[in-house]
């Protein structure tokens, strides 16, 4: 059986070394290179022609893992490597961005080694590979439609994202502070949060902000 040619991309040298050591014990997987940045991953993928790139999302430097994933999957006309995300982050926003960028799978770094090996082989053959918590989040999101906010609530949410206080929001929208507070209460209830920061975070995850 021809081994799966794998390129590692993670900005932590210790993590890359640990992954290489772990993967050396897996049958049918060959680590052909290591990249510390998105730019390095693109250059090495062009030179080494890996079957799969194991990609972290948070990378030091100018290009993050999502951008690198999009470049790897879109610039080769469908003939480039599969990208399998391996990250610590499991928010709806991170998962959605990675999948929309073309990632074949999304794994968490808490994944069991056998699960990682299987996911790499699945990705190489074009099959989707998801950690169980990620799959659960996607299913929950599909079953729970995004809350419907009124135009005014959208305006206030946008002001919250800019860091505006109640008085600033009232002045910007020509309404009273009491009305702002009423709208905030409704927004919190619809989003299932209790704070301004929580409202902004959930709104970003669910793409309710422009």
């Amino acid at each position: 059986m021809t081994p799966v040619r794998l390129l590692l991309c993670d900005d932590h040298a210790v993590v890359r070394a640990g992954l290489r050591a772990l993967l050396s014990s897996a049958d049918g997987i060959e680590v052909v290179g290591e990249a510390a940045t998105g730019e390095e991953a693109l250059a090495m993928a062009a030179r080494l022609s890996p079957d799969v790139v194991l990609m972290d999302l948070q990378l030091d430097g100018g290009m993050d893992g999502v951008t690198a994933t999009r470049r790897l999957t879109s610039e080769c006309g469908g003939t480039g490597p599969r990208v399998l995300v391996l990250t610590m982050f499991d928010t709806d926003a991170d998962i959605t961005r990675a999948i929309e960028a073309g990632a074949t799978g999304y794994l968490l770094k808490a994944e069991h080694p056998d699960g990682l090996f299987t996911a790499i082989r699945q990705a190489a053959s074009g099959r989707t590979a998801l950690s169980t918590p990620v799959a659960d989040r996607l299913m929950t999101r599909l079953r729970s439609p995004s809350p419907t906010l009124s135009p005014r609530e959208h305006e206030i949410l946008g002001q919250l994202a800019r860091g505006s206080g109640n008085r600033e929001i009232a002045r910007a929208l020509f309404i009273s502070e009491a009305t702002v507070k009423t709208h905030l209460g409704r927004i919190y209830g619809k989003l299932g949060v209790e704070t301004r920061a929580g409202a902004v975070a959930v709104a970003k995850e669910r793409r309710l902000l422009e």
Side-chain angles (χ1 to χ4, degrees), residues 32-51:
V32 297
E34 298 178 19
T37 66
E39 291 84 355
E40 284 185 6
L42 292 176
M44 294 182 74
R47 186 172 73 253
L48 299 172
S49 299
D51 300 308

Side-chain angles (χ1 to χ4, degrees), residues 16-26 31 111-114 116-117:
R16 295 197 306 274
L19 285 170
R20 180 182 280 275
L22 176 66
L23 292 164
S24 67
S25 66
V31 178
E111 186 71 44
H112 189 277
D114 288 340
L116 174 61
F117 303 157

Side-chain angles (χ1 to χ4, degrees), residues 103-121:
T104 298
Y106 196 108
L107 299 184
L108 302 179
K109 288 185 175 178
E111 186 71 44
H112 189 277
D114 288 340
L116 174 61
F117 303 157
T118 299
I120 290 171
R121 298 185 187 104

Side-chain angles (χ1 to χ4, degrees), residues 166-167 169-171 173-183:
N166 288 3
R167 182 173 297 179
I169 295 173
R171 288 176 177 172
L173 301 181
F174 303 102
I175 56 179
S176 70
E177 286 188 56
T179 301
V180 171
K181 291 179 181 178
T182 297
H183 282 302

